[in-house]
């Protein structure tokens, strides 16, 4: 008698050429991920081989009930670490039946920025450090914390090992390997300053692919925490008080920054970012004002400053970049729940296309 696990893990490759494509999209809140699956003939090697699909936008807060159809356009494909084989995950964006991007489709405008000849010529690289907090399912309290109570103060938890300091490593490692399997350019993981908080890094990724990879990495993390019976917090400051928040530090460079003389290009880019500080902050995640207090490795939300190796700055430049005269900058302002399409597109638009007037 086959068990449920046996059936879930069935290898279909020897009995059919059909595969399962899990279509993923972003829901009405701008941070919730939705997905549904369909059967297609495989293998699929490019999103253009996939059909468009539709869903009920009235159930995701993206369309009225009397005209509820929203169309999914496949944009990027990844190997499916859950079903394995030739099955795939498909990152989509969303349109009306008339072909117009719906208001929550932030990928559309980002793709326009990245397709601009001036931006494409600069080959913008991103490395995004995605922090997140794991919560106990029934009490919405961080993993490893005593229910209704607090652990010892921050200090021993960052990049730590041990049952009293590192909580949820099995989830973290499962996510790491699943992202590598999927083809996401995940470049590392580490335990963060607050217990129950972790970080993964994606990049370097070029242009629009940075947003695609972060969103699919988030989806995979949601699925793994679902299996583990753990809740992934979407809050940039899940615990008030003297505890670190959860950010998404965004490392960025252009071709000009990476070449000799690039340090001067970086300083000019930082000057532009400073002039549009309020505009960027408004788009860098809901609830970010609770995280950007100036007390936990960030500048105050109303202050823009930059520095070399300064983790209390809005923009940090590494010692290696200063010494070599070229490299990258780190925008420390984005919150955990930022939309990577918005942040990456805005950084490129401000530093490359905006004239700074």
């Amino acid at each position: 008698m086959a068990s449920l696990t046996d059936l879930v893990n069935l290898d279909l490759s020897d009995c059919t050429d059909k595969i399962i494509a899990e279509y993923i999209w972003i829901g009405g809140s701008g941070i919730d991920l939705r997905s549904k699956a369909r059967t297609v003939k495989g293998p699929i090697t490019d999103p253009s081989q996939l059909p468009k699909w539709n869903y009920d936008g009235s159930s995701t807060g993206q369309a009225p009930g009397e005209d509820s159809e929203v169309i999914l356009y496949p944009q990027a494909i990844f190997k499916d670490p859950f079903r394995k084989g030739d099955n795939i995950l498909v990152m989509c964006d969303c349109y009306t039946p008339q072909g117009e991007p719906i208001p929550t489709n932030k990928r559309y405008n980002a793709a326009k920025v990245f397709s601009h000849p001036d931006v494409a010529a600069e080959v913008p690289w991103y490395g995004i450090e995605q922090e997140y907090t794991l919560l106990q399912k029934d009490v919405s309290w961080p993993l490893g914390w005593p229910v209704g109570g607090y652990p010892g103060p921050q200090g021993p938890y960052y990049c730590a090992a041990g049952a009293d300091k590192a909580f949820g490593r099995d989830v973290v490692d499962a996510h790491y390997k699943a992202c590598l399997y999927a083809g996401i350019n995940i470049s590392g993981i580490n335990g963060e300053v607050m217990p129950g908080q972790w970080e993964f890094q994606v990049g370097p990724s070029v242009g629009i692919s940075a947003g695609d990879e972060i969103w699919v990495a988030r989806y995979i993390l949601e699925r793994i925490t679902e299996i583990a019976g753990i809740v992934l917090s979407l809050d940039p400051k899940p615990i008030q008080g003297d505890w670190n928040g959860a950010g998404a530090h965004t490392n960025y460079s252009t071709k000009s920054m990476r070449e000799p003389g690039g340090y001067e290009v970086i300083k000019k880019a930082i000057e532009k970012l400073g002039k549009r500080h309020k505009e960027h902050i408004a788009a860098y995640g809901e609830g970010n004002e609770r995280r950007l207090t100036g007390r936990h490795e960030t500048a105050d939300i109303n202050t823009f400053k930059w520095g070399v190796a300064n983790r209390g700055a809005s923009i940090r430049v590494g010692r290696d970049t200063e010494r070599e005269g070229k490299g990258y900058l780190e925008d420390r302002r984005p919150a955990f729940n930022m939309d990577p399409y918005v942040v990456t597109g805005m950084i490129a638009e401000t530093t490359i296309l905006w004239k700074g007037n």
Side-chain angles (χ1 to χ4, degrees):
M1 175 68 71
S3 69
L4 182 60
T5 300
D6 291 334
L7 294 171
V8 168
N9 294 325
L10 271 177
D11 181 3
L12 304 177
S13 60
D14 61 350
C15 60
T16 180
D17 62 355
K18 293 180 179 178
I19 65 167
I20 302 170
E22 189 78 26
Y23 281 49
I24 302 166
W25 71 95
I26 300 156
S29 73
I31 189 65
D32 58 315
L33 283 160
R34 309 291 180 121
S35 74
K36 62 177 184 172
R38 69 180 297 166
T39 305
V40 296
K41 186 175 181 179
I44 298 294
T45 58
D46 189 271
S48 64
Q49 297 172 267
L50 291 163
K52 295 173 184 176
W53 205 8
N54 63 72
Y55 68 92
D56 172 18
S58 69
S59 295
T60 62
Q62 293 172 294
E66 64 274 12
D67 187 15
S68 66
E69 193 168 282
V70 179
I71 312 301
L72 294 168
Y73 285 30
Q75 299 290 3
I77 58 173
F78 300 85
K79 292 176 65 178
D80 187 338
F82 304 103
R83 296 186 176 107
K84 303 180 185 177
D86 288 332
N87 302 302
I88 55 174
L89 304 177
V90 185
M91 190 66 211
C92 304
D93 61 353
C94 305
Y95 296 79
T96 67
Q98 292 73 39
E100 296 295 323
I102 66 172
T104 52
N105 181 354
K106 306 304 182 184
R107 190 186 192 280
Y108 178 80
N109 284 330
K112 286 204 300 185
V113 170
F114 289 120
S115 64
H116 190 288
D118 293 347
V119 176
E122 284 289 353
V123 195
W125 288 4
Y126 297 90
I128 298 176
E129 305 170 30
Q130 178 70 80
E131 297 175 343
Y132 60 94
T133 308
L134 300 174
L135 304 180
Q136 301 169 57
K137 181 170 180 265
D138 296 325
V139 293
S140 295
W141 201 237
L143 201 65
W145 290 37
V147 176
Y150 296 85
Q154 294 182 157
Y157 309 105
Y158 174 70
C159 295
D164 59 340
K165 295 182 286 294
F167 312 107
R169 191 182 296 276
D170 52 349
V171 168
V172 174
D173 276 352
H175 177 253
Y176 195 176
K177 290 184 176 181
C179 284
L180 286 171
Y181 180 94
I184 293 167
N185 193 25
I186 186 170
S187 49
I189 59 167
N190 61 267
E192 266 302 331
V193 177
M194 190 181 84
Q197 188 182 83
W198 295 81
E199 174 184 297
F200 66 89
Q201 303 94 31
V202 168
S205 302
V206 179
I208 198 68
S209 65
D212 291 336
E213 292 188 13
I214 282 288
W215 274 118
V216 175
R218 287 175 175 178
Y219 174 81
I220 291 172
L221 184 56
E222 287 270 26
R223 288 282 303 274
I224 290 172
T225 54
E226 172 190 325
I227 293 167
I230 293 169
V231 174
L232 175 64
S233 171
L234 305 180
D235 196 317
K237 182 75 172 178
I239 303 297
Q240 299 307 303
D242 195 23
W243 303 97
N244 274 37
H249 301 159
T250 302
N251 299 279
Y252 168 70
S253 71
T254 63
K255 185 173 182 287
S256 298
M257 294 176 184
R258 297 188 293 268
E259 294 178 342
Y263 194 43
E264 292 304 312
V265 180
I266 290 171
K267 288 194 287 187
K268 289 177 182 177
I270 292 172
E271 182 181 357
K272 286 185 174 183
L273 290 168
K275 288 180 179 179
R276 299 182 84 181
H277 176 65
K278 289 184 179 179
E279 185 178 342
H280 279 252
I281 284 294
Y284 273 17
E286 293 295 325
N288 212 8
E289 71 282 352
R290 292 184 282 112
R291 169 180 161 263
L292 296 179
T293 62
R295 294 192 298 272
H296 297 97
E297 298 188 348
T298 58
D300 178 86
I301 194 168
N302 297 311
T303 303
F304 181 88
K305 61 180 181 178
W306 76 278
V308 176
N310 182 358
R311 295 188 176 277
S314 312
I315 306 290
R316 182 184 70 87
V317 174
R319 289 286 181 203
D320 288 347
T321 295
E322 181 188 42
R323 181 172 58 253
E324 296 173 11
K326 60 182 180 180
Y328 68 96
L329 63 85
E330 177 192 41
D331 192 338
R332 299 178 62 80
R333 297 170 295 173
F336 160 87
N337 57 359
M338 63 83 161
D339 187 324
Y341 294 136
V342 172
V343 170
T344 57
M346 181 175 279
I347 291 174
E349 196 275 330
T350 293
T351 60
I352 300 173
L353 300 180
W354 189 55
K355 301 305 180 184
N357 298 325

